């Protein structure tokens, strides 16, 4: 990995969320380098493990991690690590969380129940986080206060709508997380 000697702050950020929520798409839309993606076709081996009911058109899945880079300023670079969404990769999430300053947790408002185990892990790892409510075609755009209540989030947890297919929208979600981190770290 290339580190620019002029960058004074390189920050590791996790992009987390349940299976099929858009983590790979988010990193792909925003990374200034060709993202490293470990996508593989979903096969019969995933039957009984991966619930495709919420994502019937999904044909690939992350099997290790995604990686990208985003420069926010002359002195601040984010190194983005996308975690796989399946529970069976829980040990990998813990390893990826080491050294991370925070996490952008993506949620699908139509499948919020799938987010609770991810939020439990983020809190167990001690990560500061923000929530990105991803927009999907043909779904309802729920008010953020309703999503906050449904996820039982504290009032100081940032929550924003985002469309991970859009570079500007993904950047704004990450900027929300960075501002939150800066307010905590001073």
């Amino acid at each position: 990995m290339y580190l620019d000697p002029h960058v004074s702050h390189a920050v590791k950020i996790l992009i987390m969320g349940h299976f099929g929520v858009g983590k790979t798409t988010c990193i792909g839309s925003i990374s200034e380098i060709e993202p490293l993606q470990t996508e593989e076709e979903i096969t019969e081996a995933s039957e009984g493990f991966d619930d495709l009911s919420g994502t019937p058109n999904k044909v690939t899945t992350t099997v290790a991690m995604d990686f990208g880079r985003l420069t926010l300023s002359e002195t601040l670079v984010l190194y983005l690590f996308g975690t796989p969404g399946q529970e069976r990769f829980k040990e990998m999430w813990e390893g990826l969380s080491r050294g991370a300053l925070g996490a952008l947790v993506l949620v699908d408002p139509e499948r919020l129940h799938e987010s609770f185990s991810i939020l439990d892990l983020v809190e167990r790892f001690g990560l500061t986080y923000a929530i990105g409510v991803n927009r999907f075609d043909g779904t309802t755009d729920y008010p953020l206060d309703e999503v906050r209540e449904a996820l039982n989030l504290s009032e100081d947890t940032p929550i924003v709508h985002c469309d991970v297919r859009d570079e500007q929208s993904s950047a704004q979600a990450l900027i929300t997380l960075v501002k939150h981190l800066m307010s905590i770290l001073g």
Side-chain angles (χ1 to χ4, degrees), residues 8-26:
S8 58
H9 299 290
V11 178
K12 180 179 182 181
I13 298 291
L14 297 185
I15 308 295
M16 299 182 76
H18 57 74
F19 179 70
V21 75
K23 299 171 299 291
T24 299
T25 302
C26 180

Side-chain angles (χ1 to χ4, degrees), residues 123-181:
E123 290 176 359
R124 191 177 92 205
F125 298 154
L127 294 171
T128 299
Y129 64 96
I131 302 292
V133 182
N134 194 12
R135 290 189 171 105
F136 291 88
D137 291 336
T139 61
T140 303
D141 205 11
Y142 293 95
L144 292 177
D145 59 334
E146 289 181 20
V147 177
R148 178 183 300 284
E149 184 177 337
L151 290 174
N152 196 28
L153 299 174
S154 68
E155 284 299 316
D156 62 336
T157 301
I159 182 170
V160 295
H161 285 291
C162 64
D163 183 336
V164 298
R165 299 167 292 188
D166 179 73
E167 178 182 5
Q168 299 268 339
S169 185
S170 293
Q172 192 55 52
L174 281 168
I175 289 168
T176 298
L177 171 62
V178 170
K179 285 180 177 179
H180 182 54
L181 287 166

